[in-house]
Amino acid sequence: MSMPMTRLLLVTLLLAAARAPADEVTPDLTLHGQLTWTTQHVGEFASPYAGPNSLHPHQTRSTADATLYGGWRMGESTEAWLNLELDQGFGLDNTLGAAGFPSGEAYKVGRQRPYLRLPRAFIRHTLNTGSMDPQVEADANQFGGPRSAQRWVLTVGKFGVTDVFDASQYAHDPRHDFLNWTAIDAGSFDYAADAWGFTVGAALERYAGDWVARVGLFDLSTVPNSAHLTPGLHQFQWVAELERRLAVQGHEGKLLLTAYESRGAMGRLADALAQAALTGQPPDVASVRHYGHRLGISALAEVALSPTFGAFARAGSADGRVEAYEFTDVDRSLALGLSAAGKGWHRDGDGAGLVWMRNDLSSERTRYLAAGGLGILIGDGSLPHPGSERIAELYYALGIAPGTTLTLDLQDIRNPAYNRDRGPIRVAGLRLHAQF
């Protein structure tokens, strides 16, 4: 571990140790924190050729992040949250080489030295319209206390679209459960975000018993996959979601249906291919961008099979005629998984999960990559033998202290970047996570 990374971890641990006990913090002010260090290794695999966005064999990369979550209860129903985060490190090949990238802890921006960011700064207002339920446990970005099953919730400011939408209790947080990008979110959900996964906007939620409806409006990046957002909703995305909570043989579950539309300057792949045919150069989608839109839809189903064991499935599809704007290069996605809590084998702090994923491209995006085009994360310079990207991930999280886990994560990636000539790639990972 490098010295800068060591200092980052030590600073976070000192902050955690210095925090006052919860009963000494005022009811209107709260502080939470987390520390996550992740390392991944790739060994030998078939790689007869490579392009600018290819994953390469024989490498080990690490990331670290430390976050402080500060909350202020502004009134009985309104709270403000500010998150400060230190980040450091790189994903494999600086987060390139697979549409289902193997680390959700790796951003599209990597740096050797720690740097400070403000990923979230938002206000949440809750209007309870029914009888109050029992206490909700306090957590990062959430005050504890009673709330109603009948309520409106408005969130405004800077946060992640997936903080509100496409949420699964089994596969949604790379600091606690699965690491692969297309396990923690629907691969086809091209949600508005900067290069770190956050945006500015508003989300309104209506909870009505077993039903929840959500709608959101968010800024897109200035250009696809950019570190900067377009202010003022000149380029934007709307997201709508309907959730139905249900019981299956006495066990809790839910169904989610999520749809989005992005509107901004984006290129159509057919136009890039037509231009390439005239110039004799590889297609460049950036040179044919015009104001347009991209649509997508996804579904999530999850159910608790027992108090300690659950299953989930995600499927999605997006417009494959237009460049992927923010997330990753997936036009159709499917994920099937299982999750188990260690309480089932008398290890309350442990957990385990297994997921299988399949990602696919449209015919237009396949031709674009075959002609030498580059996507957000992929582009081997050629694609003579395309195929579905298929990924399996298995993890075991070992509780080593209260609030602290050490996770072993193994992934098998077949046809990385949809290329049957490369791989299979086997990724071994280790993750240390602590929270207070």
Side-chain angles (χ1 to χ4, degrees):
M1 190 183 299
S2 68
M3 285 304 296
M5 187 178 293
T6 302
R7 288 196 294 269
L8 169 64
L9 305 187
L10 288 175
V11 166
T12 307
L13 291 173
L14 288 172
L15 287 170
R19 185 205 168 191
D23 58 359
E24 295 179 12
V25 179
T26 72
D28 296 331
L29 294 172
T30 188
L31 181 68
H32 297 266
Q34 75 83 32
L35 160 71
T36 306
W37 171 79
T38 304
T39 187
Q40 291 187 315
H41 173 76
V42 170
E44 179 65 32
F45 62 85
S47 179
Y49 56 88
N53 288 2
S54 293
L55 191 66
H56 295 83
H58 303 297
Q59 59 172 309
T60 301
R61 297 290 184 269
S62 300
T63 59
D65 50 70
T67 315
L68 289 176
Y69 308 87
W72 172 36
R73 198 191 301 269
M74 303 170 64
E76 183 178 350
S77 303
T78 305
E79 57 198 70
W81 286 90
L82 188 72
N83 297 176
L84 289 174
E85 186 166 294
L86 280 172
D87 292 316
Q88 180 190 4
F90 300 87
L92 297 167
D93 271 300
N94 203 15
T95 318
L96 295 171
F101 192 76
S103 177
E105 276 291 278
Y107 301 117
K108 297 169 184 173
V109 178
R111 294 182 187 173
Q112 188 65 37
R113 294 182 177 275
Y115 61 99
L116 186 65
R117 295 192 308 109
L118 183 70
R120 296 179 181 90
F122 65 88
I123 293 174
R124 181 190 296 123
H125 179 75
T126 302
L127 177 62
N128 293 296
T129 58
S131 59
M132 304 299 277
D133 290 339
Q135 293 278 331
V136 175
E137 186 177 351
D139 202 350
N141 293 325
Q142 176 180 287
F143 275 96
R147 64 184 181 187
S148 173
Q150 309 286 331
R151 65 187 185 276
W152 294 87
V153 181
L154 175 65
T155 307
V156 180
K158 184 179 182 183
F159 55 99
V161 172
T162 54
D163 291 347
V164 178
F165 298 90
D166 191 36
S168 168
Q169 65 174 319
Y170 302 123
H172 199 55
D173 187 348
R175 292 169 178 166
H176 292 91
D177 48 69
F178 296 99
L179 279 168
N180 194 279
W181 285 25
T182 51
I184 58 179
D185 296 299
S188 61
F189 187 15
D190 194 13
Y191 57 88
D194 59 17
W196 291 273
F198 299 91
T199 185
V200 172
L204 179 64
E205 304 172 78
R206 171 55 174 165
Y207 291 78
D210 293 332
W211 291 91
V212 186
R214 302 180 178 93
V215 64
L217 187 64
F218 305 97
D219 283 329
L220 290 175
S221 298
T222 52
V223 295
N225 195 35
S226 170
H228 305 287
L229 296 169
T230 303
L233 299 173
H234 296 296
Q235 297 189 120
F236 65 90
Q237 179 183 85
W238 65 262
V239 186
E241 184 170 87
L242 186 63
E243 175 180 342
R244 174 70 163 95
R245 299 178 181 180
L246 45 83
V248 179
Q249 294 183 342
H251 299 300
E252 292 185 355
K254 71 177 181 181
L255 299 173
L256 277 182
L257 184 64
T258 309
Y260 73 88
E261 181 186 27
S262 299
R263 287 189 170 271
M266 55 187 71
R268 296 181 68 86
L269 302 174
D271 293 342
L273 287 166
Q275 184 184 76
L278 295 175
T279 64
Q281 299 296 316
D284 178 14
V285 73
S287 65
V288 295
R289 284 177 183 148
H290 301 284
Y291 198 88
H293 68 108
R294 189 178 192 222
L295 294 163
I297 190 168
S298 60
L300 164 71
E302 66 178 33
V303 63
L305 303 175
S306 76
T308 60
F309 191 65
F312 66 92
R314 273 194 178 100
S317 179
D319 189 345
R321 300 168 297 175
V322 185
E323 67 176 316
Y325 204 94
E326 306 281 37
F327 185 38
T328 188
D329 308 279
V330 177
D331 295 316
R332 296 183 303 279
S333 60
L334 176 65
L336 305 171
L338 300 169
S339 177
K343 188 176 182 180
W345 54 95
H346 310 293
R347 290 281 307 176
D348 288 3
D350 291 10
L354 174 66
V355 64
W356 176 86
M357 296 152 274
R358 173 172 172 157
N359 302 319
D360 286 289
L361 294 178
S362 67
S363 57
E364 289 94 333
R365 204 175 309 279
T366 301
R367 291 196 298 271
Y368 172 78
L369 293 169
L374 301 179
I376 294 177
L377 302 187
I378 62 175
D380 295 328
S382 180
L383 192 60
H385 303 109
S388 301
E389 189 179 76
R390 300 191 300 274
I391 306 169
E393 179 179 2
L394 171 68
Y395 78 85
Y396 188 93
L398 177 69
I400 57 178
T404 304
T405 56
L406 182 65
T407 302
L408 174 64
D409 185 89
L410 302 173
Q411 297 181 50
D412 181 271
I413 306 176
R414 303 297 172 107
N415 308 332
Y418 308 98
N419 193 337
R420 290 193 291 133
D421 293 337
R422 308 185 81 245
I425 295 173
R426 294 180 174 89
V427 182
L430 197 65
R431 175 181 63 200
L432 174 66
H433 173 75
Q435 62 187 40
F436 65 93

PDB file of all heavy atoms in Angstrom, residues 300-319:
ATOM      1  N   LEU A 300     -36.733  -4.656 -11.802  1.00  0.00           N
ATOM      2  CA  LEU A 300     -36.076  -5.354 -10.703  1.00  0.00           C
ATOM      3  C   LEU A 300     -37.121  -6.127  -9.918  1.00  0.00           C
ATOM      4  O   LEU A 300     -38.197  -5.601  -9.616  1.00  0.00           O
ATOM      5  CB  LEU A 300     -35.373  -4.352  -9.769  1.00  0.00           C
ATOM      6  CG  LEU A 300     -34.961  -4.859  -8.385  1.00  0.00           C
ATOM      7  CD1 LEU A 300     -33.794  -5.830  -8.491  1.00  0.00           C
ATOM      8  CD2 LEU A 300     -34.585  -3.697  -7.475  1.00  0.00           C
ATOM      9  N   ALA A 301     -36.795  -7.373  -9.589  1.00  0.00           N
ATOM     10  CA  ALA A 301     -37.630  -8.177  -8.703  1.00  0.00           C
ATOM     11  C   ALA A 301     -36.734  -8.773  -7.627  1.00  0.00           C
ATOM     12  O   ALA A 301     -35.637  -9.266  -7.934  1.00  0.00           O
ATOM     13  CB  ALA A 301     -38.333  -9.298  -9.470  1.00  0.00           C
ATOM     14  N   GLU A 302     -37.176  -8.707  -6.391  1.00  0.00           N
ATOM     15  CA  GLU A 302     -36.407  -9.313  -5.309  1.00  0.00           C
ATOM     16  C   GLU A 302     -37.365  -9.872  -4.267  1.00  0.00           C
ATOM     17  O   GLU A 302     -38.488  -9.385  -4.097  1.00  0.00           O
ATOM     18  CB  GLU A 302     -35.439  -8.318  -4.677  1.00  0.00           C
ATOM     19  CG  GLU A 302     -36.087  -7.164  -3.946  1.00  0.00           C
ATOM     20  CD  GLU A 302     -35.053  -6.237  -3.311  1.00  0.00           C
ATOM     21  OE1 GLU A 302     -33.963  -6.093  -3.889  1.00  0.00           O
ATOM     22  OE2 GLU A 302     -35.353  -5.653  -2.253  1.00  0.00           O
ATOM     23  N   VAL A 303     -36.904 -10.921  -3.573  1.00  0.00           N
ATOM     24  CA  VAL A 303     -37.749 -11.555  -2.563  1.00  0.00           C
ATOM     25  C   VAL A 303     -36.858 -12.192  -1.505  1.00  0.00           C
ATOM     26  O   VAL A 303     -35.783 -12.731  -1.815  1.00  0.00           O
ATOM     27  CB  VAL A 303     -38.682 -12.614  -3.195  1.00  0.00           C
ATOM     28  CG1 VAL A 303     -37.886 -13.755  -3.827  1.00  0.00           C
ATOM     29  CG2 VAL A 303     -39.672 -13.143  -2.170  1.00  0.00           C
ATOM     30  N   ALA A 304     -37.285 -12.087  -0.250  1.00  0.00           N
ATOM     31  CA  ALA A 304     -36.609 -12.773   0.840  1.00  0.00           C
ATOM     32  C   ALA A 304     -37.139 -14.203   0.902  1.00  0.00           C
ATOM     33  O   ALA A 304     -38.322 -14.423   1.166  1.00  0.00           O
ATOM     34  CB  ALA A 304     -36.857 -12.053   2.157  1.00  0.00           C
ATOM     35  N   LEU A 305     -36.276 -15.165   0.628  1.00  0.00           N
ATOM     36  CA  LEU A 305     -36.676 -16.561   0.667  1.00  0.00           C
ATOM     37  C   LEU A 305     -36.719 -17.102   2.091  1.00  0.00           C
ATOM     38  O   LEU A 305     -37.352 -18.126   2.358  1.00  0.00           O
ATOM     39  CB  LEU A 305     -35.729 -17.397  -0.189  1.00  0.00           C
ATOM     40  CG  LEU A 305     -35.618 -16.958  -1.660  1.00  0.00           C
ATOM     41  CD1 LEU A 305     -34.569 -17.779  -2.384  1.00  0.00           C
ATOM     42  CD2 LEU A 305     -36.962 -17.064  -2.358  1.00  0.00           C
ATOM     43  N   SER A 306     -36.010 -16.435   2.986  1.00  0.00           N
ATOM     44  CA  SER A 306     -36.024 -16.744   4.418  1.00  0.00           C
ATOM     45  C   SER A 306     -35.537 -15.484   5.122  1.00  0.00           C
ATOM     46  O   SER A 306     -35.152 -14.514   4.466  1.00  0.00           O
ATOM     47  CB  SER A 306     -35.102 -17.939   4.727  1.00  0.00           C
ATOM     48  OG  SER A 306     -33.750 -17.531   4.703  1.00  0.00           O
ATOM     49  N   PRO A 307     -35.529 -15.454   6.446  1.00  0.00           N
ATOM     50  CA  PRO A 307     -35.038 -14.254   7.135  1.00  0.00           C
ATOM     51  C   PRO A 307     -33.582 -13.919   6.826  1.00  0.00           C
ATOM     52  O   PRO A 307     -33.157 -12.778   7.042  1.00  0.00           O
ATOM     53  CB  PRO A 307     -35.221 -14.603   8.618  1.00  0.00           C
ATOM     54  CG  PRO A 307     -36.350 -15.593   8.635  1.00  0.00           C
ATOM     55  CD  PRO A 307     -36.160 -16.404   7.390  1.00  0.00           C
ATOM     56  N   THR A 308     -32.800 -14.877   6.306  1.00  0.00           N
ATOM     57  CA  THR A 308     -31.376 -14.627   6.064  1.00  0.00           C
ATOM     58  C   THR A 308     -30.955 -14.896   4.620  1.00  0.00           C
ATOM     59  O   THR A 308     -29.764 -14.894   4.319  1.00  0.00           O
ATOM     60  CB  THR A 308     -30.516 -15.508   6.984  1.00  0.00           C
ATOM     61  OG1 THR A 308     -30.796 -16.897   6.734  1.00  0.00           O
ATOM     62  CG2 THR A 308     -30.791 -15.186   8.444  1.00  0.00           C
ATOM     63  N   PHE A 309     -31.906 -15.123   3.727  1.00  0.00           N
ATOM     64  CA  PHE A 309     -31.556 -15.528   2.358  1.00  0.00           C
ATOM     65  C   PHE A 309     -32.518 -14.872   1.384  1.00  0.00           C
ATOM     66  O   PHE A 309     -33.740 -14.879   1.598  1.00  0.00           O
ATOM     67  CB  PHE A 309     -31.640 -17.051   2.245  1.00  0.00           C
ATOM     68  CG  PHE A 309     -31.056 -17.616   0.976  1.00  0.00           C
ATOM     69  CD1 PHE A 309     -29.711 -17.503   0.698  1.00  0.00           C
ATOM     70  CD2 PHE A 309     -31.869 -18.269   0.061  1.00  0.00           C
ATOM     71  CE1 PHE A 309     -29.178 -18.032  -0.463  1.00  0.00           C
ATOM     72  CE2 PHE A 309     -31.351 -18.802  -1.096  1.00  0.00           C
ATOM     73  CZ  PHE A 309     -29.995 -18.683  -1.361  1.00  0.00           C
ATOM     74  N   GLY A 310     -31.970 -14.257   0.319  1.00  0.00           N
ATOM     75  CA  GLY A 310     -32.815 -13.572  -0.644  1.00  0.00           C
ATOM     76  C   GLY A 310     -32.341 -13.772  -2.066  1.00  0.00           C
ATOM     77  O   GLY A 310     -31.197 -14.176  -2.318  1.00  0.00           O
ATOM     78  N   ALA A 311     -33.231 -13.490  -3.009  1.00  0.00           N
ATOM     79  CA  ALA A 311     -32.929 -13.619  -4.433  1.00  0.00           C
ATOM     80  C   ALA A 311     -33.379 -12.353  -5.139  1.00  0.00           C
ATOM     81  O   ALA A 311     -34.315 -11.673  -4.716  1.00  0.00           O
ATOM     82  CB  ALA A 311     -33.633 -14.832  -5.032  1.00  0.00           C
ATOM     83  N   PHE A 312     -32.708 -12.040  -6.252  1.00  0.00           N
ATOM     84  CA  PHE A 312     -33.063 -10.851  -7.020  1.00  0.00           C
ATOM     85  C   PHE A 312     -32.798 -11.092  -8.498  1.00  0.00           C
ATOM     86  O   PHE A 312     -32.006 -11.971  -8.891  1.00  0.00           O
ATOM     87  CB  PHE A 312     -32.273  -9.627  -6.540  1.00  0.00           C
ATOM     88  CG  PHE A 312     -30.791  -9.707  -6.790  1.00  0.00           C
ATOM     89  CD1 PHE A 312     -30.221  -9.191  -7.951  1.00  0.00           C
ATOM     90  CD2 PHE A 312     -29.946 -10.313  -5.862  1.00  0.00           C
ATOM     91  CE1 PHE A 312     -28.857  -9.272  -8.180  1.00  0.00           C
ATOM     92  CE2 PHE A 312     -28.573 -10.399  -6.084  1.00  0.00           C
ATOM     93  CZ  PHE A 312     -28.026  -9.870  -7.244  1.00  0.00           C
ATOM     94  N   ALA A 313     -33.471 -10.302  -9.323  1.00  0.00           N
ATOM     95  CA  ALA A 313     -33.268 -10.355 -10.770  1.00  0.00           C
ATOM     96  C   ALA A 313     -33.447  -8.946 -11.321  1.00  0.00           C
ATOM     97  O   ALA A 313     -34.358  -8.218 -10.907  1.00  0.00           O
ATOM     98  CB  ALA A 313     -34.257 -11.307 -11.434  1.00  0.00           C
ATOM     99  N   ARG A 314     -32.580  -8.563 -12.246  1.00  0.00           N
ATOM    100  CA  ARG A 314     -32.678  -7.287 -12.942  1.00  0.00           C
ATOM    101  C   ARG A 314     -32.624  -7.549 -14.434  1.00  0.00           C
ATOM    102  O   ARG A 314     -31.867  -8.391 -14.900  1.00  0.00           O
ATOM    103  CB  ARG A 314     -31.515  -6.360 -12.590  1.00  0.00           C
ATOM    104  CG  ARG A 314     -31.686  -5.482 -11.364  1.00  0.00           C
ATOM    105  CD  ARG A 314     -30.622  -4.396 -11.362  1.00  0.00           C
ATOM    106  NE  ARG A 314     -30.738  -3.488 -10.234  1.00  0.00           N
ATOM    107  CZ  ARG A 314     -30.000  -3.564  -9.133  1.00  0.00           C
ATOM    108  NH1 ARG A 314     -29.118  -4.541  -9.022  1.00  0.00           N
ATOM    109  NH2 ARG A 314     -30.142  -2.680  -8.166  1.00  0.00           N
ATOM    110  N   ALA A 315     -33.394  -6.782 -15.207  1.00  0.00           N
ATOM    111  CA  ALA A 315     -33.333  -6.853 -16.658  1.00  0.00           C
ATOM    112  C   ALA A 315     -33.598  -5.466 -17.209  1.00  0.00           C
ATOM    113  O   ALA A 315     -34.386  -4.699 -16.632  1.00  0.00           O
ATOM    114  CB  ALA A 315     -34.358  -7.847 -17.215  1.00  0.00           C
ATOM    115  N   GLY A 316     -32.934  -5.119 -18.308  1.00  0.00           N
ATOM    116  CA  GLY A 316     -33.128  -3.788 -18.861  1.00  0.00           C
ATOM    117  C   GLY A 316     -32.784  -3.721 -20.330  1.00  0.00           C
ATOM    118  O   GLY A 316     -32.096  -4.594 -20.882  1.00  0.00           O
ATOM    119  N   SER A 317     -33.279  -2.666 -20.966  1.00  0.00           N
ATOM    120  CA  SER A 317     -33.014  -2.429 -22.382  1.00  0.00           C
ATOM    121  C   SER A 317     -32.962  -0.923 -22.617  1.00  0.00           C
ATOM    122  O   SER A 317     -33.702  -0.159 -21.984  1.00  0.00           O
ATOM    123  CB  SER A 317     -34.114  -3.058 -23.247  1.00  0.00           C
ATOM    124  OG  SER A 317     -33.870  -2.823 -24.615  1.00  0.00           O
ATOM    125  N   ALA A 318     -32.067  -0.503 -23.512  1.00  0.00           N
ATOM    126  CA  ALA A 318     -31.933   0.915 -23.847  1.00  0.00           C
ATOM    127  C   ALA A 318     -31.748   1.045 -25.354  1.00  0.00           C
ATOM    128  O   ALA A 318     -31.418   0.079 -26.055  1.00  0.00           O
ATOM    129  CB  ALA A 318     -30.756   1.537 -23.103  1.00  0.00           C
ATOM    130  N   ASP A 319     -31.960   2.254 -25.856  1.00  0.00           N
ATOM    131  CA  ASP A 319     -31.851   2.537 -27.286  1.00  0.00           C
ATOM    132  C   ASP A 319     -30.409   2.308 -27.740  1.00  0.00           C
ATOM    133  O   ASP A 319     -29.501   3.054 -27.361  1.00  0.00           O
ATOM    134  CB  ASP A 319     -32.270   3.985 -27.547  1.00  0.00           C
ATOM    135  CG  ASP A 319     -32.391   4.298 -29.029  1.00  0.00           C
ATOM    136  OD1 ASP A 319     -31.898   3.515 -29.857  1.00  0.00           O
ATOM    137  OD2 ASP A 319     -32.990   5.346 -29.365  1.00  0.00           O
TER     138      ASP A 319
END
